[in-house]
Amino acid sequence: MKTKIAVSLALCSVLGACNSDDTAKEKPPEIKASMVELELQSVITTQQITALTPPSDRVLIETPLAQLGKHLFFTKALSGNLDTACASCHHPNLGGGDALVLPVGVEALEQDLLGPGRLHDANGVHHDAGPTVPRNSPSTFNIAFYTKSIFHDGRIEMVGDSGSMRTPDVPKGQADANAGTSLAQAQARFPVTSREEMRGFTFEQGTNEELRGALTARFNGTSNELAINNWLEAFRQGLEQPQADAASLLTFDNITLAIAAYENSQVLVENPWAAYLNGDKEAISEQAKRGALLFYKSENQGGFDCASCHSGSFFSDESFHVLAVPQIGRGKGDGVYGDDDFGRFRETKDEDDKYAFRTPTLLNVMQTGPWSHSGAFTQLSDMVLHHFNPSESVADYVPDDVQPGIQYAHWQENTELALAQLARLQDQEKSLLPRASIEKDQLDDLLAFLATLTDPCTVDPACMNKWVPSSDEVDPDGLRLVAYDEDGNLL
């Protein structure tokens, strides 16, 4: 309290608005706004808060390699049964995700219908079991800024300071010599191996490498699977090797290299908060400034210390934390019923990591819902509120069937175990999640601040469509995903 009064006195002194009762009287709106501005500037200076800038080796979508990656990202030829593309779950006009609570990967009734309304084919293997993919689709936006790990459980991660990466293809702690040159490239090796996401349940039941070999043979023509196959010319252009042959160009390493270039080109950081940090004091509202103070200030300063986990200019510590969000969906085979998801524990076997998931970046968070590893929250306000009282949030949670077929059979039992884990970690002071309360006006302020993290490009299809193949671009195999929503509108 003494610190808070001291700050107020210092601010009002600068503004010439102090009075004898330590600022107890109501101040005019312009004075209050100025005090908020001064206090926020003080926090920014003290915490050395800066705007995120594009990496020095930023990949531009206009480059030949990123353009090749775009065509690969949208072709269904990378899926076992030719029915799913990378973009089926990570479309640029759906926030780099799919706008679903849980993804419908393979066996969709309408292969090119994305977002709400995407359902399973009634004749598919899992037509009666709900969404095939057990975790919410993370956004590909700004993937280039991750430096430690990829995926909700971090199963692709950097190993030491060597620049090497571990992947699910190698034991924990070991480096995968085939991972590639970036986290994005390593990540691109795995959706095609997942039966639920792209591989399917009837295509090539061998090892991951055998699966990748089968896909490579499809692209280079040795398996003669594609009725149309102009990939050699596309790779010659993308890799800028006009005379190279199929054997040298059409490799799985080059496929993932190009996809990584495409994903890494999705740098979307030019938001109002960045403009404010760079000197435009009118770039965000007074309400958003109040929200920023709540976000950055510690509890004893009257804030919520959100930046303890959503830290730095990327708004993520890239670490793993237990939030105990509702455990809906088919799960990952964990727990008594096999429909639970132990998160980071699956990788580390550390009991403290059970139900822990990676901190997502908050950049463009307004566009990247539904939120949490299970997609349980379809309103960002509910996701924020959950942080303050997880037990109450879970008690009030009603599966509202916003997406047909989601598995709910044991969500309460599984979530109670996650809540118990969170309580244990909090009692042992191993959790950074505060036991705090929030008022309605504070929630509104926080949401106003989070809205300032939105790059305007993400809400402008004319801008985002540079990452979507146009109808006048060559389709190398005739299997391009031409996405539309449930109303029939092209995405």
Side-chain angles (χ1 to χ4, degrees):
M1 181 61 71
K2 289 182 180 179
T3 301
K4 194 170 183 180
I5 292 174
V7 170
S8 296
L9 285 170
L11 290 172
C12 71
S13 177
V14 170
L15 293 168
C18 294
N19 51 46
S20 58
D21 59 355
D22 292 339
T23 72
K25 294 181 180 179
E26 187 69 15
K27 298 184 173 52
E30 64 273 14
I31 297 296
K32 293 168 68 176
S34 296
M35 291 177 67
V36 168
E37 173 68 27
L38 282 174
E39 187 174 8
L40 182 53
Q41 286 299 314
S42 175
V43 169
I44 289 169
T45 300
T46 301
Q47 298 190 24
Q48 298 181 317
I49 300 168
T50 58
L52 188 62
T53 56
S56 58
D57 58 350
R58 176 181 181 178
V59 179
L60 299 178
I61 185 58
E62 294 81 9
T63 61
L65 188 60
Q67 287 294 302
L68 172 60
K70 179 177 70 175
H71 294 304
L72 289 165
F73 203 80
F74 276 80
T75 181
K76 288 175 274 190
L78 275 173
S79 62
N81 297 322
L82 307 175
D83 66 349
T84 312
C86 302
S88 298
C89 294
H90 302 282
H91 197 283
N93 283 320
L94 293 176
D98 61 3
L100 293 174
V101 173
L102 292 171
V104 175
V106 299
E107 300 179 358
L109 178 62
E110 297 181 61
Q111 296 175 6
D112 288 4
L113 193 164
L114 304 190
R118 183 175 173 87
L119 304 171
H120 285 287
D121 186 342
N123 296 313
V125 175
H126 286 277
H127 65 276
D128 60 348
T132 51
V133 184
R135 291 175 180 161
N136 179 261
S137 289
S139 174
T140 54
F141 291 174
N142 296 316
I143 193 174
F145 292 98
Y146 283 107
T147 61
K148 297 180 181 179
S149 67
I150 294 289
F151 292 129
H152 291 292
D153 56 12
R155 61 187 182 274
I156 291 176
E157 58 187 328
M158 304 304 297
V159 178
D161 299 323
S162 64
S164 300
M165 290 168 275
R166 184 191 77 89
T167 77
D169 283 343
V170 299
K172 172 71 176 175
Q174 293 187 18
D176 185 348
N178 298 316
T181 60
S182 69
L183 284 169
Q185 185 176 5
Q187 175 272 331
R189 295 174 59 81
F190 288 92
V192 298
T193 69
S194 166
R195 287 174 170 80
E196 296 85 3
E197 295 177 42
M198 295 183 74
R199 183 175 188 160
F201 297 90
T202 59
F203 177 77
E204 188 57 50
Q205 301 299 305
T207 65
N208 284 354
E209 278 308 301
E210 289 171 335
L211 177 278
R212 296 176 186 124
L215 292 176
T216 301
R218 177 185 288 176
F219 275 76
N220 66 29
T222 57
S223 65
N224 200 32
E225 290 180 71
L226 301 178
I228 301 171
N229 192 339
N230 294 313
W231 281 111
L232 177 56
E233 181 56 31
F235 273 70
R236 283 173 170 170
Q237 292 180 22
L239 294 166
E240 300 181 84
Q241 299 182 41
Q243 304 302 320
D245 60 15
S248 62
L249 284 187
L250 289 160
T251 66
F252 198 78
D253 284 344
N254 282 340
I255 288 173
T256 57
L257 182 70
I259 290 175
Y262 168 77
E263 291 183 339
N264 283 333
S265 74
Q266 294 181 353
V267 173
L268 297 156
V269 298
E270 297 180 8
N271 54 57
W273 175 242
Y276 176 77
L277 291 175
N278 288 326
D280 182 358
K281 298 302 185 289
E282 303 302 318
I284 66 175
S285 67
E286 181 190 350
Q287 183 181 31
K289 293 175 185 178
R290 294 197 304 268
L293 287 172
L294 293 171
F295 186 92
Y296 284 106
K297 292 199 309 185
S298 65
E299 290 180 75
N300 61 14
Q301 294 173 326
F304 299 126
D305 203 14
C306 307
S308 62
C309 295
H310 294 285
S311 58
S313 55
F314 188 46
F315 291 91
S316 173
D317 61 2
E318 296 190 58
S319 190
F320 302 85
H321 303 279
V322 178
L323 294 183
V325 301
Q327 294 282 98
I328 61 174
R330 67 170 54 249
K332 295 286 285 185
D334 299 326
V336 174
Y337 306 104
D339 58 3
D340 208 349
D341 185 347
F342 289 165
R344 182 63 172 168
F345 173 83
R346 295 172 55 83
E347 301 301 313
T348 66
K349 307 308 177 188
D350 183 335
E351 279 296 323
D352 285 351
D353 285 338
K354 192 171 286 186
Y355 299 109
F357 296 89
R358 189 185 63 171
T359 305
T361 175
L362 296 180
L363 294 173
N364 305 301
V365 66
M366 292 287 182
Q367 308 306 315
T368 56
W371 296 272
S372 82
H373 75 277
S374 64
F377 295 106
T378 59
Q379 299 295 322
L380 184 58
S381 57
D382 291 334
M383 181 74 254
V384 173
L385 284 171
H386 179 88
H387 288 70
F388 291 90
N389 195 330
S391 295
E392 182 177 293
S393 170
V394 170
D396 292 341
Y397 188 78
V398 178
D400 52 11
D401 205 23
V402 292
Q403 183 180 340
I406 289 180
Q407 303 88 343
Y408 292 124
H410 305 108
W411 80 269
Q412 289 173 304
E413 297 98 312
N414 294 336
T415 308
E416 286 298 326
L417 293 173
L419 284 169
Q421 168 77 328
L422 173 59
R424 179 182 72 82
L425 294 173
Q426 289 179 318
D427 289 342
Q428 297 176 0
E429 298 185 347
K430 293 181 178 180
S431 172
L432 294 178
L433 195 67
R435 284 170 164 149
S437 60
I438 185 171
E439 301 296 329
K440 174 64 167 60
D441 59 341
Q442 293 175 315
L443 175 63
D444 292 342
D445 290 348
L446 267 182
L447 291 172
F449 170 64
L450 293 178
T452 71
L453 306 181
T454 302
D455 187 318
C457 182
T458 65
V459 296
D460 180 6
C463 182
M464 290 307 302
N465 279 342
K466 69 180 73 172
W467 285 281
V468 180
S470 63
S471 58
D472 59 358
E473 292 183 74
V474 173
D475 182 352
D477 55 21
L479 292 168
R480 175 176 294 159
L481 171 73
V482 182
Y484 56 89
D485 63 21
E486 60 183 339
D487 296 322
N489 302 309
L490 287 177
L491 292 175

